[in-house]
Amino acid sequence: MGSGLSSFLLMCNSTTTAPANSPEPSLGDLPESVVGSVLLYLNPQDICRLASLNRAFRSASTAEFVWESKLPKNYDLIISRVFDENKNKFSSAIWKKEIYARLSTPSPIDGGTKRVWLDKGTGKACVLISSNGLAITGIDDRRYWSWIPTEESRFHSVAYLQQIWWFEVDGEVDFPLPCGAYSLYFRLQLGRSSRRFGRRVCNSEHVHGWDIKPVKFQLSTSDGQKAISQCYLTEPGKWNNYRAGDFVVEDSKVPMKIKFSMTQIDCTHTKGGLCVDSVLIRPK
């Protein structure tokens, strides 16, 4: 699509800059409905780029039917879930392009512990759950856990595990996801990172126990889907997305509840030195 669009833009520029007295028709002469039918096959980023070509493309790029095709079929439920909760209601006269733009911007829900937005490539929803929105065993005991402020998290803080025998993190989310396939990830890092003299450094002195037994990831959905995976945590000093599993949404009119967990409960050894940032649900 990228190279094809670039060639198309070059052709359009040469056409739209033809002399005013040229008898040859140009792209600017195309009816808005025809241009709009072409834009239906493009992604939102390309639509916005083509809007600068000429008046016909600029007008078609704001057409309601073009942007409604880019919105998920259950966008009305997403609006209610996201904006009614934040007392930021939509006007009934708002354009579909504006609706798309606002839904594509991360918005907080559930007291700010989660953020949701539409993926601009697929039009499906992404959900990000902060560590503060998870149930972490022992989180209130400062012998085991502490909260660390950091600019490396969208939520500006992460949960840091110093040492524990029983490691368990649980969470759930209830949201009207658009139809499609999704994956769920835990964003984790071994070691505690900070900045020293303007450089990023990572303290790995508490990292231990993760190479003895793997961590188990699980998820289940309200319609009976289940997934289980396990792996060893590796690469101290680097944030990694550990995939817990996949699921499919077939009915977007019914909000889906997803429960998920991460455990390492072999009490024959301790484990520690782990930063827990967030859980991400995104389209495959």
Side-chain angles (χ1 to χ4, degrees):
M1 176 66 74
S3 60
L5 180 63
S6 299
S7 301
F8 180 69
L9 286 172
L10 288 173
M11 180 190 72
C12 292
N13 287 333
S14 63
T15 304
T16 54
T17 55
N21 60 356
S22 172
E24 296 293 330
S26 68
L27 286 173
D29 298 321
L30 289 174
E32 179 184 327
S33 59
V34 174
V35 177
S37 298
V38 174
L39 298 184
L40 288 175
Y41 294 93
L42 302 180
N43 62 43
Q45 295 95 322
D46 289 340
I47 292 174
C48 293
R49 290 177 62 190
L50 288 172
S52 62
L53 282 177
N54 53 46
R55 184 183 303 172
F57 276 83
R58 184 165 55 253
S59 179
S61 69
T62 62
E64 290 287 89
F65 75 94
V66 170
W67 287 100
E68 185 160 16
S69 72
K70 306 306 172 186
L71 289 166
K73 292 182 179 180
N74 68 336
Y75 73 88
D76 53 336
L77 293 179
I78 298 177
I79 288 174
S80 298
R81 178 72 169 85
V82 175
F83 293 99
D84 286 1
E85 176 182 309
N86 296 315
K87 305 187 186 315
N88 185 12
K89 296 185 180 297
F90 272 62
S91 165
S92 59
I94 192 170
W95 287 14
K96 296 295 190 299
K97 182 178 180 180
E98 176 64 18
I99 292 176
Y100 184 90
R102 292 177 66 175
L103 289 179
S104 298
T105 303
S107 299
I109 61 171
D110 295 349
T113 60
K114 301 179 182 70
R115 293 186 182 180
V116 298
W117 67 94
L118 292 186
D119 177 74
K120 293 181 179 179
T122 64
K124 297 182 176 66
C126 298
V127 182
L128 188 67
I129 304 103
S130 75
S131 54
N132 197 39
L134 304 174
I136 302 176
T137 299
I139 188 64
D140 295 325
D141 193 327
R142 293 297 172 260
R143 294 175 300 172
Y144 307 127
W145 290 89
S146 59
W147 294 102
I148 300 175
T150 176
E151 293 303 313
E152 295 184 358
S153 169
R154 288 196 183 189
F155 298 96
H156 305 297
S157 70
V158 298
Y160 178 68
L161 172 65
Q162 298 180 69
Q163 179 174 291
I164 205 167
W165 292 90
W166 184 288
F167 173 75
E168 183 173 4
V169 178
D170 300 286
E172 65 177 58
V173 62
D174 193 345
F175 193 80
L177 293 168
C179 292
Y182 294 84
S183 297
L184 186 146
Y185 300 87
F186 282 80
R187 185 172 189 258
L188 312 170
Q189 176 186 261
L190 292 178
R192 175 174 177 171
S193 57
S194 60
R195 301 199 71 81
R196 184 178 301 168
F197 302 114
R199 298 182 59 186
R200 184 183 188 272
V201 295
C202 184
N203 186 339
S204 302
E205 66 173 320
H206 293 140
V207 177
H208 70 283
W210 305 108
D211 56 346
I212 300 176
K213 291 289 181 67
V215 172
K216 184 178 183 181
F217 300 95
Q218 297 184 79
L219 73 81
S220 62
T221 65
S222 52
D223 63 353
Q225 300 177 69
K226 294 183 179 181
I228 300 176
S229 63
Q230 59 181 13
C231 69
Y232 293 91
L233 305 188
T234 59
E235 300 182 280
K238 178 183 178 182
W239 286 105
N240 286 305
N241 286 329
Y242 291 90
R243 179 171 156 273
D246 306 325
F247 62 94
V248 176
V249 177
E250 296 182 344
D251 186 357
S252 63
K253 291 299 182 181
V254 179
M256 176 172 282
K257 178 177 286 188
I258 303 103
K259 295 184 177 181
F260 47 87
S261 67
M262 171 177 60
T263 58
Q264 216 286 26
I265 54 178
D266 185 339
C267 293
T268 61
H269 66 282
T270 62
K271 62 282 298 181
L274 177 69
C275 285
V276 178
D277 175 34
S278 57
V279 171
L280 173 65
I281 297 173
R282 70 184 184 195
K284 291 185 65 178

